[in-house]
Each structure stands twice: as C-alpha cells, then as structure tokens.
Amino acid sequence: MEEFKKMFDISIGNFTLGNVFSAIITLVICIVSVKLLMIFISRAVNKIHAEKTLLNFIKTGIRIVLYIVSIIIAADSLGIPVTSLVALLSVGGLAVSLAIQGFLSNLASGISILISKPFVAGNFVEVNGVSGTVNEVSLIYTKLFTVDNKIIYVPNSEVATNKITNYNSQAERRIDFNITASYDTPLSKVKKALAQAVDAVPELLSEPKPAIVVSAYLESSIEYSVKVWVKTDKYWDAYFELLEQAKKQFDENGVEMTYNHLNVHIDNTQPKDKKL
C-alpha cells in the first residue's frame, strides 16, 4: 500500500502522478457527462420550430462551451491556476474575434436571418440588387439560383442590412400593367379592348376584381392602368400572355397604340425683301 502511495507522489515536472491521474479521471467523467447532457439538450432544441442550420449551430455552440468548462475543471484538478487559464482564453478569444470580425458579422447576421425568417428555401427574392431563388440559408452565406441558372453567394451581413423583397411570401400577386392609346380613341372603346384582353388570360383571378382605369394624360396619348390578380406561381406566364392579348385586342377593336413620333412642317413661303 505504501509503495502504491509513493507511486502517486512521483513528480512529473510541477505535477505529481496522482494529480495527473486525478485530472484524467475528472476529464473522462466530464466528457461522459457532456455526452449524456447533450442527448437531453438535443431533444429539447429539436422541439424548437426553427431552421435545421440554426438548431445545429445552437447544439454545436453548447457542446463547445461544455467541453471548455470540462477542460477548466480538469485543469483545476491538475493544479493549474484556473484564473490564469480563463484570462488566457479571454485574451485569445478577443484576438481571434478582432481577426475574424467580418466572419463574425456574417455569422451574427445568419443567425438573425434564420430566426426572423424573411425568406425560406424556395422563395424568389431580391437582395441588394441581386435576385434569384433561395437554395440554402447557411450561417455565413445565402445561396441564390438566378433565372439563368447561375449560383450567387450573398454574404449574410449584406442580406441583413439591405432591403429584402420576397416575391413568394404571399399566395397571390397583383400585375400592374400600363399601356397608352391615342386621344382620338374613345375611353370606353379602349377599356372594352383591355377587358377582353383580361378575359382572354385564364390564369388571372376574378377576385379581387380586375381594375382598368385612366392613370395619366400624357403629351400625345392617354395612359391606362390594368391591375389584375394572379396566383404567385403563375405570375410571369399571366404577365406575358396579358401583354400579347392587349396588342391583339387593340388591333381587333381598332384602337391605336401610340408611340413617340416627330411631325415636321416645312414652310415654303418666301420672305419679302426688306428695304434698307
């Protein structure tokens, strides 16, 4: 027994073999405790209705904190001054945060986006002049697929600090379509042609009711506004079809569609000679 005790008193640098053994046992217990604790934490976190990316980040953050605490506990049992270790970690953390502040800004913005959910995967959005379908919202970048099948990675800090237009957040959208006609064409005739154009597009909704109004009197024409509603996923099909039907119905109803032109008048009269 005495020999066994003496073995634990053997010094290894500034530490005894007993302290090292105690620290190892403590660290093993802490690691096992962390793994068991993370099982319960994961179950609790998974019950939160949030993006999977955010949930994984929360669980990873908790796991890192628990492991750091385990290392501090093991270091304390080894005889290392915990105060000095905490101070060292604080200084190191400050230095790292200053070096990667751009990364941390994107990270914080990514968490904000995942919590507030201004858009989700599958939405067509416009952010900071860039538009596309959201493919993935990660903690650092938002991945967009453009209409011509390019991939754009937008830093989350730009997404969070700029205006976001989400074109898919609502089930229905309104098409606002402006067109001009000659002053010589009666208002009722133009409105009738536009109403026929609206009726010829099956994707357009009857409720809310379409609106066809005079919106402006321009220099050489009258501007008409057509406001109609459509299911969001049919927006562009209905929009392009409405453009074609408007021209078709104008032609069939004899409505002149105006365009910019210049009239030149030539004066052929000769000036009279002036007497000096």
Side-chain angles (χ1 to χ4, degrees):
M1 190 68 178
E2 291 296 330
E3 294 295 328
F4 188 72
K5 289 182 179 180
K6 288 181 180 181
M7 184 180 64
F8 278 94
D9 291 334
I10 297 174
S11 296
I12 305 174
N14 295 326
F15 309 107
T16 64
L17 186 60
N19 289 339
V20 173
F21 184 75
S22 175
I24 292 173
I25 295 298
T26 302
L27 183 61
V28 170
I29 293 173
C30 289
I31 291 174
V32 173
S33 300
V34 168
K35 289 184 179 297
L36 294 175
L37 187 59
M38 284 305 304
I39 294 175
F40 296 102
I41 292 175
S42 296
R43 291 176 181 174
V45 170
N46 288 335
K47 293 180 180 179
I48 301 174
H49 298 289
E51 291 288 333
K52 185 177 179 180
T53 303
L54 178 60
L55 299 181
N56 290 336
F57 174 76
I58 292 174
K59 289 186 285 188
T60 301
I62 294 174
R63 185 181 291 107
I64 291 173
V65 171
L66 291 176
Y67 279 132
I68 290 175
V69 172
S70 299
I71 292 172
I72 292 175
I73 293 173
D76 183 57
S77 66
L78 189 59
I80 299 175
V82 176
T83 305
S84 301
L85 182 59
V86 172
L88 181 62
L89 291 174
S90 300
V91 173
L94 178 61
V96 171
S97 63
L98 291 175
I100 59 172
Q101 52 185 320
F103 172 84
L104 294 177
S105 175
N106 287 324
L107 180 62
S109 299
I111 295 173
S112 174
I113 293 169
L114 291 170
I115 293 175
S116 60
K117 289 186 177 180
F119 51 76
V120 295
N123 287 163
F124 188 87
V125 300
E126 181 177 348
V127 180
N128 197 22
V130 177
S131 60
T133 302
V134 179
N135 176 260
E136 180 185 359
V137 183
S138 67
L139 291 171
I140 308 301
Y141 292 97
T142 295
K143 184 179 179 181
L144 301 180
F145 281 170
T146 64
V147 291
D148 55 349
N149 207 31
K150 291 185 293 188
I151 301 176
I152 299 178
Y153 293 88
V154 184
N156 284 334
S157 58
E158 293 186 12
V159 177
T161 56
N162 284 278
K163 181 177 70 175
I164 302 170
T165 304
N166 189 336
Y167 294 98
N168 297 115
S169 59
Q170 302 298 318
E172 299 173 357
R173 284 184 63 187
R174 192 179 75 183
I175 297 176
D176 293 338
F177 166 53
N178 295 332
I179 193 170
T180 59
S182 171
Y183 274 100
D184 297 330
T185 307
L187 299 180
S188 58
K189 191 174 184 179
V190 178
K191 287 187 174 182
K192 177 184 176 182
L194 291 175
Q196 289 174 346
V198 170
D199 292 338
V201 182
E203 290 86 1
L204 299 179
L205 303 177
S206 58
E207 290 293 337
K209 291 183 179 180
I212 302 173
V213 297
V214 174
S215 55
Y217 291 101
L218 306 178
E219 292 183 359
S220 59
S221 61
I222 299 176
E223 182 183 79
Y224 297 82
S225 289
V226 180
K227 302 179 185 296
V228 288
W229 290 84
V230 65
K231 293 294 183 182
T232 300
D233 58 345
K234 298 292 184 180
Y235 180 89
W236 289 112
D237 293 337
Y239 180 82
F240 294 131
E241 179 65 20
L242 182 60
L243 289 180
E244 292 185 12
Q245 288 296 331
K247 178 64 169 66
K248 180 180 179 181
Q249 296 301 326
F250 270 24
D251 292 342
E252 292 182 0
N253 287 274
V255 177
E256 181 185 355
M257 185 180 294
T258 58
Y259 53 90
N260 291 333
H261 57 276
L262 178 65
N263 291 329
V264 179
H265 300 275
I266 300 175
D267 188 357
N268 290 321
T269 59
Q270 297 294 328
K272 296 181 178 180
D273 295 335
K274 294 184 179 180
K275 296 181 179 180
L276 297 176

